Amino acid sequence: MKKKPFKTESQRILNLMINSIYTHKEIFLRELISNASDAMDKLYYKALTEGGTDINRSDFEIFLEANDAIRTLTIKDNGIGMTRDELENNLGIIAKSGTMDFRQDNEENLFQMRAKGADTEENEEVIAAEDEADAEAAEGAEDAEGVSEGDGEAPESVAGGAEAAEAVEGAEAVAGAEDAESAGSSEAAIDMIGQFGVGFYSAFMVSQKITVISKAYGSDEAWRWQSEGADGYTIESFERDGWGTTIILEMKEDGDEEEYGQYLQQYKIREIVKKYSDYIRYPIRMEVTKSRPKATEETADASGPDSDTMPEYESYQEIDTLNSMVPLWRRNRNEVSDEEYLRFYREKFYDFEKPLIHTHVSVEGTISYNGLLYIPAHAPYNYYSKEYEKGLQLYANGVLIMEKCADLLPDCFSFVKGLVDSPDLSLNISREMLQQDKQVQTIARSLDRRIKTELLKLQKDEREKYEDFFKDFGLQIKFGIYNSYGADREKLQDLLLYYSLKEEKMLTMAEYRAAMPESQDAIYYACGGSTSRIRQLPQTELVLDKGYDILALTDDVDEFAIKILGEYDGKPLKSVSDKDLDLDSDEEKEASKEQAETHKDLFASMKEALGEKVKEVRLSKRLKSHPVCLTSDGPLSLEMEKVLNSMPTEQEVKAERVLEINGSHPVFEALSRLGEDDPEKLKTYTSLLYHQALLIEGLAIEDPVAFANAICDLMV
C-alpha cells in the first residue's frame, strides 16, 4: 500500500519532537494514557448532549498489555474512536490539536458543565488569623485577578475539550479527575488540557513502528493507521470488536545507552502509571503475574505451626487496576479524614513523621486550582544545603507535570511540601515545565497568603507547635526578609519569634510591642552567640534597668534582617549597642556632657594609644557596673563584622569601633590619674581595656602574647 507523507513539514517536526522536546522517554505512556482518557471523556460528553443510552461511564477503562516475546506494548480504550477522516486529520497532521478544535466548537456547553461541576461558594472558607478581617483578606476573593477560595466541594473544572475522538491525539488531552460519584462532584465534569497536538508522537521515542486501530462510536467501519516514523503513514480498512482505539507499539531494539525493553516490564509500567497517571479518572488495568502458595494437601499438612517445610509457590495471572483514580485533593474536605491526609503525606513525600499541619486548598475563579499543603514536623537533613530542592508537585487535571515546581513557592516558604492541580496552566509543548505568565504568579500569590494564614493560626492556637516549627524553619523566614531587600517584610514580620530577656520566653514582634511601657520609644535588641552571652553584655544593663525588654538575636542572619525591617508598628528597632540610645534624663545628659568635656584630653590620649584600632574613645551613657564596652558607629555593627568575616572570602570588613568608658567606675578614676602622672602606663591600661572589650564581644585579640604579658606586668 502506498504511503502518504505527513503534511506541513511534518517530517522535520516529527524528528524534532522525537529527539528534542521531551526530557524523559517514559513520558510517552503518560501521553497515550491521557489521550485514551480524553477519548472516553469525549464519548461521555456525546452521551450527555445527544442522549446515548448505551453508554455508561462506569464501563470505561484503559487496558495495557505488554508482550516481551514480540516486544509490543498495547494501549486499548473503549472511548469514542476515530473515523478514517479523523485518523487522517488528527494523526496525519502533526501539531494539529483536535482538543483545541473541540474546545472552540463546544465552548458554551463545556463552560456550563464546569459551572455545574463547581459547587464551591466564594469566600465560604475563612481561616483564623490575627482577627477575622485578616483571615477574610487572606482567604477571600482576589478582586484584581478574580480568584476566590471556598470550603465546599472541590471544583471539577472543565478546561476545554479535545477532539477526544482521537484517543491518540497527543498529550494535550489529559483527564485527571476522580470518579464523579466518589468525589461528590458533578457527573458532568470533563477535564481536558489539549493544546499542541503532538503528544501522540512521543511514542516514536521508544517504538520503531506504531499501529492504531480505531472504530468510531456509531460507525460500522474500523480503520488501521500505521507508521514507522517520518517517512509517512498508511490507512486501510480493518476489523475491531466494539468502538474505541487500540495502539500497538513495536519497541525499538535495546542499545548501549537505552534499554527500550524496560517499558515492557510490569514493574516499570506500574511505576510510570503510578508516577504520572495515578489520578486519571478511568481505571487503568493490566494483566499481571503474581505468585501464591500451591494449594495442595501436602503443603496444607506441612504448613502447621511446627513445620519447617517452606511452602511451594506458583505463578498465576490476574487483572489489576494500576491507578488510584480518586485524587484526594479533589474530594470534599469534609469527607477526608485526618488519617487519610496523613497516609497520603507519608506515601507521597516519604516522611514517616506526622506533619506539623496540613491544609486543603480549593480555589475557583479566573484561575482555578486544588491543592494540598503540608508543613513537616522537622527540617529535612539537607534543608539548609545546596542539594535541597524546593517546589510543589504540579498536576494538570490529575496528571503529573512537574515533580518540583519551584515557581509556586517563595524561598521563605521553601519548607512546604504538597501539590497543586489546575486545568488553567500554560504549559510548554512537552508539558514538563511551566511558561512564565500571570497564571503561575496568581496561584503562587494565593498559596503565599494561605501558608502565612496557616502559620499565624498555628502561632495563635498551638504556640508550642509553632515554636517547634520556628526552631527548624525560622532561619528561612528571617533570611526571606533580608534576601527580599524588605519587599517581604510586611508578609514575614509577624511570623518572627525572638527570645525575651525580660519575659524569658519567645515573643513575637506584636507581643513585644503590646507589652512596651508608654515611655519606651524603641524596640531594643542585642546580638550574640547565645542568650546567656547576650544577657552578660555590658550594653544591656541600662536598658533592662529602665524596665525595657530586649530581644536576643542569636542567628547570623538576625541583625541583617532586623536592619532591613527597620521598624515595627511605628517603633524603630534599635540595638543596645547603637551610638545613642537616648535613655538619659536632661539632667543626666548635661552632667555627662560636662564630664566628657572635662576629660577630653584623657580620651584623646587613649585614642592616640590605640591608633587606627578604634574610631573614637568616649564617655559611655549606657554602662552601669561594667568599666568598658565596645560599640560601633555607622551601619556595620560588630556582630555583622564577625558574620561577614567568617564567610569564605578574601576580603575582610571592619566596623568603625568605639571604645566606651564608664565614667562612674573606679577604673575611670585610675585612668584619670594616669593621664596626668604616667602617660606610658595609661597606654598599657588603655590596651588592656580595649582587649577586654574585644573578649566581651567575642572578637579575636590581635596579639594574645602581648595581652598576656601586660597582665603579668600588673601582677608584679
Side-chain angles (χ1 to χ4, degrees), residues 433-497:
M433 64 184 69
L434 289 170
Q435 305 289 359
Q436 299 296 320
D437 60 13
K438 188 177 179 181
Q439 296 168 331
V440 180
Q441 297 168 11
T442 300
I443 294 176
R445 283 195 297 269
S446 178
L447 292 173
D448 207 23
R449 291 194 306 273
R450 171 57 70 91
I451 294 167
K452 178 185 175 181
T453 301
E454 291 295 325
L455 289 174
L456 288 175
K457 181 181 178 182
L458 184 69
Q459 182 191 100
K460 181 180 179 181
D461 299 340
E462 299 181 82
R463 184 56 174 263
E464 187 175 343
K465 276 190 176 182
Y466 185 80
E467 291 187 11
D468 289 340
F469 154 80
F470 202 79
K471 287 178 184 177
D472 277 338
F473 302 111
L475 197 63
Q476 193 68 19
I477 292 175
K478 297 171 186 177
F479 183 74
I481 294 175
Y482 169 72
N483 198 44
S484 66
Y485 301 99
D488 290 336
R489 62 186 301 276
E490 295 293 334
K491 175 176 71 178
L492 300 177
Q493 62 184 2
D494 288 323
L495 299 176
L496 294 172
L497 283 183

Side-chain angles (χ1 to χ4, degrees), residues 146-356:
V147 173
S148 62
E149 301 191 10
D151 193 26
E153 296 175 358
E156 288 279 324
S157 303
V158 177
E163 183 73 56
E166 28 176 290
V168 290
E169 203 247 311
E172 70 273 31
V174 180
E178 73 281 9
D179 182 78
E181 290 85 353
S182 62
S185 59
S186 169
E187 292 187 8
I190 296 175
D191 297 327
M192 305 176 190
I193 63 169
Q195 300 177 58
F196 306 110
V198 298
F200 164 74
Y201 305 97
S202 64
F204 280 112
M205 291 190 297
V206 299
S207 56
Q208 58 190 4
K209 183 178 181 180
I210 300 177
T211 299
V212 179
I213 302 169
S214 191
K215 184 177 183 180
Y217 173 75
S219 174
D220 295 329
E221 294 181 290
W223 300 91
R224 183 175 69 178
W225 181 98
Q226 286 186 311
S227 176
E228 296 179 4
D231 61 340
Y233 62 92
T234 62
I235 296 180
E236 61 182 329
S237 179
F238 208 72
E239 295 294 326
R240 189 185 194 280
D241 294 332
W243 60 76
T245 299
T246 301
I247 304 173
I248 305 170
L249 308 181
E250 297 182 24
M251 309 304 289
K252 294 179 180 179
E253 295 298 325
D254 295 344
D256 294 335
E257 297 182 357
E258 294 290 347
E259 295 183 11
Y260 298 102
Q262 66 177 315
Y263 302 116
L264 299 172
Q265 303 303 313
Q266 292 180 9
Y267 79 91
K268 186 64 176 180
I269 294 173
R270 278 183 178 275
E271 177 187 308
I272 296 173
V273 170
K274 196 71 177 175
K275 181 177 181 180
Y276 295 104
S277 306
D278 196 33
Y279 305 110
I280 287 290
R281 179 193 307 275
Y282 305 104
I284 303 170
R285 297 194 169 103
M286 181 174 69
E287 187 175 64
V288 298
T289 301
K290 297 183 177 182
S291 62
R292 62 190 173 195
K294 287 185 177 181
T296 63
E297 292 184 5
E298 293 180 1
T299 56
D301 294 339
S303 60
D306 299 326
S307 174
D308 295 329
T309 304
M310 294 295 294
E312 294 185 31
Y313 285 83
E314 63 179 359
S315 297
Y316 69 102
Q317 303 296 313
E318 184 174 277
I319 294 177
D320 263 6
T321 299
L322 307 183
N323 60 323
S324 302
M325 290 183 286
V326 182
L328 190 69
W329 57 88
R330 284 194 173 186
R331 291 167 55 186
N332 186 332
R333 73 194 67 188
N334 296 325
E335 299 174 356
V336 184
S337 66
D338 288 341
E339 289 74 15
E340 288 178 292
Y341 285 123
L342 175 59
R343 184 168 60 251
F344 180 87
Y345 171 74
R346 286 175 171 171
E347 292 176 354
K348 201 72 174 176
F349 302 106
Y350 309 108
D351 188 349
F352 294 99
E353 286 193 83
K354 184 178 179 181
L356 205 60

Side-chain angles (χ1 to χ4, degrees), residues 592-609:
S592 178
K593 184 178 180 180
E594 290 179 3
Q595 188 180 20
E597 181 65 26
T598 301
H599 296 89
K600 64 179 181 179
D601 292 338
L602 171 65
F603 296 133
S605 298
M606 296 178 71
K607 166 66 175 73
E608 183 180 355

Side-chain angles (χ1 to χ4, degrees), residues 357-512:
I357 57 173
H358 70 265
T359 182
H360 190 154
V361 186
S362 299
V363 177
E364 178 67 22
T366 304
I367 304 298
S368 299
Y369 72 91
N370 299 320
L372 290 175
L373 304 177
Y374 295 89
I375 295 180
H378 298 290
Y381 73 94
N382 63 343
Y383 182 66
Y384 291 106
S385 71
K386 293 181 179 180
E387 287 71 32
Y388 181 80
E389 291 184 68
K390 72 167 183 173
L392 302 177
Q393 290 185 348
L394 178 69
Y395 288 79
N397 287 323
V399 175
L400 180 65
I401 301 301
M402 295 177 67
E403 187 70 34
K404 296 276 188 181
C405 182
D407 294 332
L408 293 175
L409 282 179
D411 287 341
C412 58
F413 293 152
S414 59
F415 47 81
V416 175
K417 296 182 179 182
L419 56 89
V420 168
D421 184 0
S422 175
D424 297 329
L425 297 171
S426 297
L427 308 176
N428 75 342
I429 194 169
S430 71
R431 292 218 307 272
E432 293 176 290
M433 64 184 69
L434 289 170
Q435 305 289 359
Q436 299 296 320
D437 60 13
K438 188 177 179 181
Q439 296 168 331
V440 180
Q441 297 168 11
T442 300
I443 294 176
R445 283 195 297 269
S446 178
L447 292 173
D448 207 23
R449 291 194 306 273
R450 171 57 70 91
I451 294 167
K452 178 185 175 181
T453 301
E454 291 295 325
L455 289 174
L456 288 175
K457 181 181 178 182
L458 184 69
Q459 182 191 100
K460 181 180 179 181
D461 299 340
E462 299 181 82
R463 184 56 174 263
E464 187 175 343
K465 276 190 176 182
Y466 185 80
E467 291 187 11
D468 289 340
F469 154 80
F470 202 79
K471 287 178 184 177
D472 277 338
F473 302 111
L475 197 63
Q476 193 68 19
I477 292 175
K478 297 171 186 177
F479 183 74
I481 294 175
Y482 169 72
N483 198 44
S484 66
Y485 301 99
D488 290 336
R489 62 186 301 276
E490 295 293 334
K491 175 176 71 178
L492 300 177
Q493 62 184 2
D494 288 323
L495 299 176
L496 294 172
L497 283 183
Y498 287 111
Y499 186 81
S500 158
L501 294 186
K502 183 179 179 182
E503 301 289 337
E504 297 186 343
K505 63 180 181 179
M506 302 297 286
L507 294 181
T508 66
M509 288 291 186
E511 290 166 344
Y512 181 103

Side-chain angles (χ1 to χ4, degrees), residues 108-174:
E108 183 175 350
N109 284 341
L110 288 170
F111 178 80
Q112 292 174 356
M113 286 186 179
R114 178 173 183 170
K116 183 179 179 181
D119 195 23
T120 303
E121 295 183 13
E122 293 187 1
N123 301 323
E124 184 179 343
E125 177 181 14
V126 178
I127 301 294
E130 285 295 298
D131 52 45
E132 186 174 352
D134 287 343
E136 290 177 354
E139 286 297 296
E142 185 176 19
D143 296 333
E145 288 120 10
V147 173
S148 62
E149 301 191 10
D151 193 26
E153 296 175 358
E156 288 279 324
S157 303
V158 177
E163 183 73 56
E166 28 176 290
V168 290
E169 203 247 311
E172 70 273 31
V174 180

